Amino acid sequence: MHPRLAADLAGLPELLEATRRHAAALLDGLAEAPVVPDVPAPQPVPLPAEAVGLSGALREFAARWQPGLSASAGPRYLGFVTGGVTPAALAGDWLTATVDQNAMSSLDATGQLLERETVGWLRELFGLSECHQGTLVSGATMSNTVGLATAREWLGERRGVSPAEAGVAALGAVRVLSGSPHSSVAKGLSLLGLGRAALRTVATLPGREAVDPAALEAALREEDGPCIVVANAGTVNTVDFDDLRALAALRDRYGFWLHVDAAFGAFAALSADHAHLVDGLDLADSLCVDLHKWLNVPYDSAVQFTRRQDLQARVFQNAAAYLGPLGADPDLVHLTPENSRRLRALAAWFTLRAYGRDGHREIVERCVTCARVLGAAVENIPGLRLLAPVRLNVVCFTLTDSPTPARLAALADALAPEAFLTPTVYAGQPALRAAFSNWRTTDGDVERLARALERVTGTL
Ligand SMILES: *Cc1c(COP(=O)(O)O)cnc(C)c1O
């Protein structure tokens, strides 16, 4: 064994203790750290030939790279839709690397069984029935892609071919209809050989991002065979929700595959006041929920559910004698794009076990309250206006006077040490979004942001 490696093995308990102290100090300063630090990027250095051991690597990371890292796990990083990491999720993630399992096969089953327990808990959390089976994947993009891949195989079943066996060319043209699809849907269609051009956007309701069911029905009448519909449960700009029950009723009449992108919107199910937004979620043929957003587990984590796991296994089966048979209850190796995979479920398992449904409901409700309070503050700040009502956890607003992308970027930049917001365009208008999905965020953070917004808007 290399002497440095041998020394690190001999000193492992103390080295881990030092790493723990380092992590604890970092987390202790998170709430007050600059949200996105403005420091020059380190110059890349050549591959080190000489060993410095774990303590040397930790020192160098702390000096060169850590200063530039954002406080994205902290309470005022409100860009994109960004979750943090609950204490239990962090411990679960540490232990994931500690036990270093390849959770894919019943030949060494415990990891896979833990994932199945976790998926069962998530199913209950979102109010889904046992008709839905699921697996963990790396993010909502991959979750949407697995759903679309399963949909592709379903279309094949309708047309008497298996695209998984014969290739997409055998399937013929495919149409995907959606009101306000997330960009990841187009990426998934590209990856699956269905093509971005397969996506046809359907009119939304007036002043809304939710699809107009009448427009969808008109589009369906123009199709001469089964297609795929991607419903949106929580759009990124205004957190709008398609009427899932109306879409499922259309599915029963017109026979399409109903995929629901509920990346963060599914968490509305946890709040009594907002659960109606995802009424009908269980009727989906496949659905996508991110876990590294509102569940507050570390990257990379999401879950996908489907009612047709048999079709999913046709797409992702990885038959090899040494991996064991496919069987009626396929191992995870036959259900996801990866073969080898980490015990990704453990962080979710820890946070769900530690805080339960009630703890996670409190996080969701607090985030929604924060968004409401910020929305009300924005309405009262001269020079700002809301672009949409605050439906759940995102505040989408712009400048009343000349809301150019440059002026909005200047506004976001001026907020930067205090909070991080990201730009968007909604209904043709350049805008900013503040998205609340971090378990650490409290009303004090909203107050700070509102004060900063008022100050900065006045100086633009
Ligand atoms: C975030 C998001 C995605 C993509 O998720 P990743 O985790 O970044 O892959 C897809 N759909 C919606 C609605 C999202 O909010």
Side-chain angles (χ1 to χ4, degrees), residues 112-174:
Q112 170 167 298
L113 294 174
L114 183 141
E115 176 162 329
R116 289 196 171 140
E117 177 169 89
T118 309
V119 168
W121 290 356
L122 291 165
R123 185 166 56 203
E124 280 189 58
L125 191 71
F126 304 123
L128 302 175
S129 68
E130 290 190 358
C131 299
H132 277 285
Q133 290 170 296
T135 62
L136 267 73
V137 289
S138 57
T141 300
M142 201 42 82
S143 178
N144 278 332
T145 302
V146 170
L148 292 167
T150 310
R152 187 184 64 182
E153 200 60 17
W154 176 83
L155 282 176
E157 189 178 68
R158 288 310 176 91
R159 297 178 188 179
V161 294
S162 167
E165 296 305 320
V168 276
L171 185 61
V174 168

Side-chain angles (χ1 to χ4, degrees), residues 193-397:
L194 299 174
R196 293 187 163 95
L199 186 59
R200 176 173 166 198
T201 50
V202 177
T204 53
L205 294 166
R208 300 270 306 272
E209 287 188 301
V211 74
D212 177 352
L216 179 60
E217 181 160 17
L220 287 164
R221 280 215 203 92
E222 285 171 22
E223 295 297 316
D224 43 320
C227 64
I228 301 169
V229 171
V230 174
N232 301 292
T235 54
V236 289
N237 279 335
T238 68
V239 199
D240 211 341
F241 289 78
D242 290 354
D243 180 341
L244 299 177
R245 281 201 185 276
L247 267 53
L250 286 175
R251 188 255 323 264
D252 296 344
R253 285 237 295 291
Y254 292 88
F256 52 81
W257 181 274
L258 179 59
H259 174 77
V260 180
D261 181 353
F264 64 98
F267 286 84
L270 276 70
S271 155
D273 290 344
H274 299 90
H276 66 276
L277 295 169
V278 285
D279 186 34
L281 193 63
D282 189 49
L283 299 169
D285 295 302
S286 56
L287 69 108
C288 152
V289 188
D290 236 332
L291 304 179
H292 54 219
K293 288 176 181 164
W294 227 347
L295 192 68
N296 281 268
V297 301
Y299 295 102
D300 314 349
S301 190
V303 62
Q304 60 76 220
F305 290 102
T306 182
R307 292 170 165 265
R308 290 294 307 273
Q309 198 171 63
D310 60 322
L311 296 178
Q312 183 177 341
R314 264 195 235 160
V315 178
F316 294 104
Q317 63 172 286
N318 187 81
Y322 80 103
L323 290 172
L326 192 58
D329 187 13
D331 285 351
L332 296 172
V333 70
H334 301 302
L335 293 171
T336 65
E338 311 94 333
N339 280 348
S340 295
R341 53 210 292 284
R342 71 204 306 254
L343 184 52
R344 182 172 283 130
L346 191 55
W349 186 95
F350 258 85
T351 199
L352 289 169
R353 183 65 199 90
Y355 312 117
R357 189 197 295 273
D358 286 352
H360 280 278
R361 173 185 297 135
E362 192 277 331
I363 294 172
V364 168
E365 289 182 336
R366 180 155 40 84
C367 287
V368 173
T369 304
C370 285
R372 288 260 141 95
V373 172
L374 181 67
V378 162
E379 286 190 296
N380 287 323
I381 295 175
L384 295 182
R385 73 185 174 92
L386 279 182
L387 275 182
V390 178
R391 285 193 190 87
L392 200 65
N393 61 328
V394 174
V395 183
C396 186
F397 64 95

